[in-house]
């Protein structure tokens, strides 16, 4: 069923992914993820324990041991993981808690990989009409094909972030004021 759009959606486009070695697929580009695709990603990740929550628990332990705030401890963890240069006191904390910080880094990496796998799985299910496709199927996918589909996911998410130009009154078919006439409200009806 289609909606009665005043301004129709953009023309559909598609792109090919993969290569001769792993096979080539054609995937429709929509300019964003669909509601169903986003719901599938959330559903696939729902069983995962939040890496942020686990990171916060570790930060809380560091904060208690070091007698600093949890936000300071979390900043040390995140700055350490991102490779930022730390001030001497923060560097000393990083060294004392290197194992815990490494644990958080591993959690973040695992969460990132799971997000990629869930996103690729959702696109395969939806855009390639493979509703039974599983995360395990995605994990057995060729690396090049996986990378190409992940790139589409990222492009679609970036397209969502780009604000669409507002529809003009002319495009909506509203009558336009005659030249020289003001469109400002006068308060009179």
């Amino acid at each position: 069923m289609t909606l009665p759009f005043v301004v129709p959606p953009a023309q559909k486009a598609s792109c090919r992914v993969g290569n001769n070695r792993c096979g080539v697929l054609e995937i429709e580009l929509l300019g964003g993820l669909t509601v169903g695709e986003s719901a599938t990603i959330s559903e696939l990740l729902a069983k995962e324990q939040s890496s942020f929550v686990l990171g916060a628990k570790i930060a809380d332990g560091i904060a208690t041991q070091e007698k600093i705030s949890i936000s300071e401890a979390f900043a040390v963890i995140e700055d350490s993981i991102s490779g930022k240069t730390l001030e001497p006191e923060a560097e000393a904390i990083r060294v004392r808690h290197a194992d815990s910080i490494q644990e958080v880094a591993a959690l973040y990496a695992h969460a990132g990989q799971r997000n990629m796998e869930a996103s690729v799985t959702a696109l395969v299910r939806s855009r390639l009409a493979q509703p039974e496709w599983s995360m395990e199927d995605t994990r057995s996918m060729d690396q090049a094909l996986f990378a190409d589909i992940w790139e589409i996911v990222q492009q679609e998410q970036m397209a969502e972030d780009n604000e669409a130009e507002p529809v003009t009154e002319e495009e909506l078919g509203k009558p336009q004021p005659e030249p020289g006439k003001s469109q400002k409200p006068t308060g009179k009806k």
Side-chain angles (χ1 to χ4, degrees), residues 33-55:
L33 298 177
T34 66
V35 172
E37 290 164 348
S38 294
T40 298
I41 294 166
S42 295
E43 174 189 310
L44 291 168
L45 295 174
K47 297 173 189 146
E48 293 290 311
Q49 190 170 12
S50 168
S51 59
F52 178 78
V53 171
L54 293 172

Side-chain angles (χ1 to χ4, degrees), residues 72-91:
E72 290 172 313
F74 206 77
V76 170
I77 291 170
E78 292 206 323
D79 289 349
S80 297
I81 291 170
S82 66
K84 289 185 180 176
T85 302
L86 303 174
E87 293 180 11
E89 187 177 321
E91 178 64 23

Side-chain angles (χ1 to χ4, degrees), residues 82-165:
S82 66
K84 289 185 180 176
T85 302
L86 303 174
E87 293 180 11
E89 187 177 321
E91 178 64 23
I93 293 170
R94 184 194 67 77
V95 169
R96 283 192 294 273
H97 299 279
D99 289 341
S100 296
I101 291 171
Q102 183 58 39
E103 184 179 346
V104 175
L107 290 170
Y108 282 11
H110 177 73
Q113 180 64 29
R114 293 287 292 178
N115 181 59
M116 290 170 63
E117 292 168 0
S119 299
V120 168
T121 299
L123 243 64
V124 169
R125 284 182 182 180
S126 174
R127 299 193 190 183
L128 297 175
Q130 301 292 317
E132 302 303 316
W133 190 264
S134 69
M135 294 272 278
E136 289 73 29
D137 293 325
T138 297
R139 287 186 195 107
S140 67
M141 185 181 280
D142 181 88
Q143 279 287 346
L145 185 60
F146 179 88
D148 286 353
I149 297 173
W150 171 243
E151 187 174 327
I152 289 175
V153 170
Q154 292 177 300
Q155 290 171 1
E156 295 287 72
Q157 289 172 333
M158 286 189 323
E160 289 173 353
D161 293 339
N162 293 336
E163 290 188 30
E165 293 182 28

